[in-house]
């Protein structure tokens, strides 16, 4: 059982930056593929970014087209932590952001994933 706790959400003006953190406990973090998802108001949860485990301490990054070039996902295995650096934020990035982790599934679709409780990001124009 893996427990994930997000932090770092808040309110920011368009063009600003935020850094989300996700602290993991209860599992072997380095063996997990991890990712970030978001749920915009009135919409389904959607994929944002992921680091898919492809080997021992080797991870392949992936991003949704809408955030490519603006968001960066990273992790620190020794600290059991995942981050999402968000730059040049836009009002359409306003959402609740969730971190997710899986050992056996496809992280980009949240298969067999553990989920955090979410952290809200509000971007004003």
């Amino acid at each position: 059982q893996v427990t994930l706790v997000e932090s770092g959400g808040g309110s920011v003006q368009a063009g600003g930056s935020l850094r989300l953190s996700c602290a993991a406990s209860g599992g072997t973090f380095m063996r997990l593929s991890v990712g970030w998802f978001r749920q915009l108001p009135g919409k389904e949860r959607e994929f944002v970014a992921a680091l898919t485990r492809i080997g021992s301490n080797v991870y392949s990054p992936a991003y949704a087209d809408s955030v490519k070039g603006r968001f960066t996902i990273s992790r620190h295995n020794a600290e059991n932590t995942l981050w999402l650096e968000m730059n040049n934020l836009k009002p359409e990035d306003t959402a609740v952001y969730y971190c997710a982790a899986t050992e056996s599934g496809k992280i980009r679709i949240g298969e067999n994933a553990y989920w955090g409780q979410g952290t809200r990001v509000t971007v004003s124009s």
Side-chain angles (χ1 to χ4, degrees):
Q1 183 74 19
V2 176
T3 301
L4 302 170
V5 179
E6 302 99 335
S7 60
S11 297
V12 65
Q13 289 194 322
S17 299
L18 280 175
R19 190 192 201 200
L20 305 183
S21 299
C22 177
S25 61
T28 305
F29 187 68
M30 65 181 293
R31 296 173 60 179
L32 301 174
S33 294
V34 295
W36 289 94
F37 293 73
R38 66 186 183 187
Q39 187 162 19
L40 282 66
K43 298 203 173 177
E44 298 285 318
R45 190 158 51 189
E46 65 181 28
F47 167 75
V48 174
L51 285 170
T52 300
R53 183 174 182 262
I54 57 174
S56 180
N57 278 327
V58 181
Y59 308 93
S60 174
Y63 297 91
D65 287 343
S66 59
V67 307
K68 212 172 281 186
R70 299 187 299 122
F71 291 11
T72 302
I73 186 172
S74 60
R75 64 190 292 165
H76 194 304
N77 287 340
E79 296 183 0
N80 290 350
T81 302
L82 167 70
W83 295 283
L84 184 69
E85 184 77 34
M86 305 185 295
N87 296 315
N88 190 21
L89 282 160
K90 304 176 181 181
E92 51 264 42
D93 294 319
T94 294
V96 178
Y97 284 73
Y98 299 88
C99 65
T102 181
E103 187 168 0
S104 61
K106 299 179 177 70
I107 187 61
R108 290 188 63 168
I109 60 172
E111 184 181 44
N112 298 334
Y114 300 97
W115 296 91
Q117 82 289 349
T119 186
R120 185 173 300 276
V121 171
T122 303
V123 185
S124 57
S125 56

